[in-house]
Amino acid sequence: MARSRWPALALAGCTALCGLVLAQPASAAPVRYESEDQLISQGQVDSNHQGYTGTGFVNVDNLVGSYVEYTVNAPTAGTYSLIFRYANGTTANRPMNLTVNGGAPKSVAFPATGEWTNWQNVTTTATLAAGSNKIRTTSTTATGGPNTDSLTVDTAGTDPEPPAGDTPVAINGQLHVCGTKLCNKYDKPVQLRGMSTHGIQWYAQCVKTASLDALANDWKADIFRISMYIQEGGYETNPRKFTDLVHGYIEEATKRGMYALVDWHQLTPGDPNANLARAKTFFTEIAQRHKDKINIIYDIANEPNGVSWPKVKSYAEQMIPVIRAQDPDGVVFVGTHGWSTFGISDGGSETEVFNNPINATNFMYTFHFYAASHKTNYLNALSRIADRVPVFVTEFGTQTSSGDGGNDFTMSQQYIDLMASKKIGWTNWNFSDDNRSGAVFKTGTCSGNTFAGTSVLKPAGVWVRDRTRTPDDFPTG
């Protein structure tokens, strides 16, 4: 089955990581310190990029050792949030070492923001003494650090506030697998519906404040799938950069009350064991940092292909314990062979999985379909599968399996009806402005900041938005 859904670089809307939005946690009594008022070594105060606060921003020199040192007052000793407002108009992370009162350095990532006028926040924590503290950020590479606008110290501490309101996460809380269903904190089956990004190495400009606000508030999505390719210019080219991107996207989903599905998007090679060491490194860090969140789901193998089911099963049984060691109650998704079709696209059937199931708990198998290519035999298989094992549709389209071509909305609706009746959750491919018909936005949309409504959508986008907006009856008792 053809799966060439990634663009040639010449066709991609963005070949660099841009438009990143990072966490901006609320605090009860934050205190802001303008960077231009602090001690600067090997740098200068500039005002040539609009959007800064105060009288300017600090532009440190492009060399190792340039720094800004903030003098910060803490009312009491304890752990505080340090929120740096910065811009990084390059295409690469510009990390800095953070030291407090001359102590051991801690590396803080400052990923690309796309433009020097695109100011974003990055948050870390530090232990401060009562009274005056010296907080220094020092460049660690020859390219120097980002432009820094300010440091905000959250005097309320760093404990996250519990989710409130009527967001999917606030209503459902920590999910778990019960029987063949995904269940909420009340042990009631739920159906999550949402969108998958395109590969973030190409379409990071489509994931920003305005688009995520639209996804959460206009589309009313429950879940946001973060599609991080491993090859094809993805994770293996710069593990630190892509891991930091995923960290930021998880925080953004969390702020908006959506579930964050972390997609280890192995595709070529199709055997997930080829990336086993990388997967262990990545998921250990992701699970360690976000283990206390109640909205994170781990998708450890996107589309195994050209590989037998026993090899996929072996990979899963090695990876699930890696995540469990950090996050004991996190739900894990596992792709199946034949491009996540339970082997059907390889001429097999789901019985191979049924007869040799993964030895683990609190996990779900995944299934993918593209309605213009995958007709009634796939639909019927999904129905049988959902009656036997936990399954989640982490990727589907109304087009052909290439993510392009004409839309088969009639067949797609049959899938939607089936998934609704059996509480099978889904994420649609994909939340970008790629030129293919499977990308929901019209080409060029992601260069702007208008994402709500239907005027910016292709036909597939209008169709899937309408079905995402139909609220699920999340049971609470």
Side-chain angles (χ1 to χ4, degrees), residues 196 225 261 299 333 366-368 392-396 425-427:
S196 173
R225 183 186 188 226
L261 175 56
D299 185 359
F333 290 173
T366 69
F367 188 89
H368 292 180
F392 196 105
V393 174
T394 50
E395 190 175 307
F396 84 91
W426 52 260
T427 52

Side-chain angles (χ1 to χ4, degrees), residues 57-124:
F57 56 87
V58 173
N59 178 5
V60 294
D61 293 344
N62 293 345
L63 48 83
V64 175
S66 54
Y67 67 79
V68 182
E69 183 176 275
Y70 301 81
T71 300
V72 168
N73 184 68
T76 59
T79 302
Y80 290 79
S81 293
L82 305 181
I83 307 167
F84 292 94
R85 188 171 192 264
Y86 78 101
N88 177 4
T90 71
T91 59
N93 175 31
R94 288 192 167 189
M96 301 189 85
N97 275 345
L98 171 71
T99 58
V100 177
N101 299 323
K106 171 185 179 180
S107 181
V108 177
F110 290 89
T113 61
E115 302 288 345
W116 291 109
T117 54
N118 186 8
W119 299 92
Q120 302 292 346
N121 289 352
V122 66
T123 301
T124 188

Side-chain angles (χ1 to χ4, degrees), residues 1 3 225 264 266-267 270-272 299-316 332-346 349-354 356-358 363-369 378 381-382 385 389-395:
M1 180 169 57
R3 310 298 288 180
R225 183 186 188 226
W264 182 254
Q266 55 68 229
L267 190 61
D271 183 353
D299 185 359
I300 61 173
N302 164 58
E303 284 189 343
N305 60 88
V307 62
S308 68
W309 171 244
K311 288 185 176 180
V312 179
K313 176 179 182 287
S314 173
Y315 167 82
V332 177
F333 290 173
V334 182
T336 51
H337 59 311
W339 293 276
S340 283
T341 64
F342 281 70
I344 297 168
S345 290
D346 286 342
S349 76
E350 67 273 14
T351 57
E352 187 175 5
V353 176
F354 296 166
N356 189 18
I358 293 170
F363 80 96
M364 307 187 84
Y365 300 95
T366 69
F367 188 89
H368 292 180
F369 69 85
Y378 284 81
L382 177 58
I385 289 164
V389 296
V391 63
F392 196 105
V393 174
T394 50
E395 190 175 307

Side-chain angles (χ1 to χ4, degrees), residues 38-216:
Q38 308 304 313
L39 176 63
I40 304 166
S41 176
Q42 296 177 297
Q44 63 187 28
V45 176
D46 285 336
S47 58
N48 56 322
H49 299 304
Q50 294 301 309
Y52 58 83
T53 60
T55 59
F57 56 87
V58 173
N59 178 5
V60 294
D61 293 344
N62 293 345
L63 48 83
V64 175
S66 54
Y67 67 79
V68 182
E69 183 176 275
Y70 301 81
T71 300
V72 168
N73 184 68
T76 59
T79 302
Y80 290 79
S81 293
L82 305 181
I83 307 167
F84 292 94
R85 188 171 192 264
Y86 78 101
N88 177 4
T90 71
T91 59
N93 175 31
R94 288 192 167 189
M96 301 189 85
N97 275 345
L98 171 71
T99 58
V100 177
N101 299 323
K106 171 185 179 180
S107 181
V108 177
F110 290 89
T113 61
E115 302 288 345
W116 291 109
T117 54
N118 186 8
W119 299 92
Q120 302 292 346
N121 289 352
V122 66
T123 301
T124 188
T125 60
T127 300
L128 302 184
S132 182
N133 294 264
K134 300 294 185 181
I135 298 175
R136 180 180 294 187
T137 53
T138 305
S139 302
T140 60
T141 70
T143 56
N147 290 345
T148 52
D149 182 45
S150 64
L151 164 64
T152 297
V153 178
D154 186 344
T155 56
T158 60
D159 292 337
E161 295 181 2
D166 59 356
T167 69
V169 175
I171 295 170
N172 293 296
Q174 176 68 56
L175 303 175
H176 63 283
V177 178
C178 55
T180 61
K181 306 300 182 186
L182 186 63
C183 294
N184 64 13
K185 63 184 178 181
Y186 303 103
D187 293 324
K188 302 296 184 180
V190 295
Q191 184 197 31
L192 303 183
R193 287 168 290 182
M195 292 299 300
S196 173
T197 70
H198 204 315
I200 58 177
Q201 76 273 40
W202 298 308
Y203 289 98
Q205 78 276 18
C206 295
V207 185
K208 52 188 176 182
T209 299
S211 64
L212 293 177
D213 284 348
L215 184 63

Side-chain angles (χ1 to χ4, degrees), residues 163-447:
D166 59 356
T167 69
V169 175
I171 295 170
N172 293 296
Q174 176 68 56
L175 303 175
H176 63 283
V177 178
C178 55
T180 61
K181 306 300 182 186
L182 186 63
C183 294
N184 64 13
K185 63 184 178 181
Y186 303 103
D187 293 324
K188 302 296 184 180
V190 295
Q191 184 197 31
L192 303 183
R193 287 168 290 182
M195 292 299 300
S196 173
T197 70
H198 204 315
I200 58 177
Q201 76 273 40
W202 298 308
Y203 289 98
Q205 78 276 18
C206 295
V207 185
K208 52 188 176 182
T209 299
S211 64
L212 293 177
D213 284 348
L215 184 63
N217 302 321
D218 179 57
W219 290 56
K220 302 186 185 304
D222 308 313
I223 184 169
F224 177 57
R225 183 186 188 226
I226 303 161
S227 181
M228 184 190 71
Y229 280 70
I230 317 309
Q231 279 73 45
E232 291 84 61
Y235 175 85
E236 70 172 1
T237 67
N238 192 330
R240 181 73 267 146
K241 176 168 64 176
F242 283 99
T243 302
D244 289 338
L245 263 183
V246 173
H247 283 315
Y249 293 157
I250 292 170
E251 298 294 350
E252 291 301 317
T254 303
K255 284 169 52 179
R256 293 165 174 82
M258 294 187 291
Y259 288 92
L261 175 56
V262 179
D263 166 29
W264 182 254
H265 205 88
Q266 55 68 229
L267 190 61
T268 305
D271 183 353
N273 292 285
N275 286 301
L276 178 62
R278 294 185 178 101
K280 288 181 176 180
T281 298
F282 173 78
F283 279 109
T284 294
E285 179 173 332
I286 293 295
Q288 188 175 56
R289 181 174 299 189
H290 303 286
K291 61 186 177 183
D292 294 329
K293 290 182 171 65
I294 60 174
N295 67 319
I296 187 161
I297 303 172
Y298 309 92
D299 185 359
I300 61 173
N302 164 58
E303 284 189 343
N305 60 88
V307 62
S308 68
W309 171 244
K311 288 185 176 180
V312 179
K313 176 179 182 287
S314 173
Y315 167 82
E317 291 176 350
Q318 294 177 76
M319 281 302 305
I320 292 174
V322 169
I323 293 171
R324 293 279 182 262
Q326 306 298 329
D327 186 356
D329 58 359
V331 177
V332 177
F333 290 173
V334 182
T336 51
H337 59 311
W339 293 276
S340 283
T341 64
F342 281 70
I344 297 168
S345 290
D346 286 342
S349 76
E350 67 273 14
T351 57
E352 187 175 5
V353 176
F354 296 166
N355 294 334
N356 189 18
I358 293 170
N359 183 22
T361 59
N362 204 30
F363 80 96
M364 307 187 84
Y365 300 95
T366 69
F367 188 89
H368 292 180
F369 69 85
Y370 284 81
S373 294
H374 304 139
K375 302 295 186 177
T376 304
N377 60 322
Y378 284 81
L379 178 72
N380 292 341
L382 177 58
S383 181
R384 296 190 302 267
I385 289 164
D387 291 338
R388 290 284 301 273
V389 296
V391 63
F392 196 105
V393 174
T394 50
E395 190 175 307
F396 84 91
T398 56
Q399 314 77 26
T400 67
S401 58
S402 67
D404 203 3
N407 295 291
D408 188 339
F409 292 134
T410 300
M411 191 74 225
S412 298
Q413 188 61 49
Q414 293 183 48
Y415 276 106
I416 289 291
D417 293 342
L418 172 70
M419 292 188 291
S421 69
K422 294 182 183 272
K423 292 284 189 180
I424 303 171
W426 52 260
T427 52
N428 176 262
W429 183 270
N430 66 78
F431 198 65
S432 83
D433 62 355
D434 179 19
N435 64 313
R436 293 166 176 80
S437 59
V440 296
F441 295 113
K442 295 176 181 177
T443 302
T445 298
C446 293
S447 62

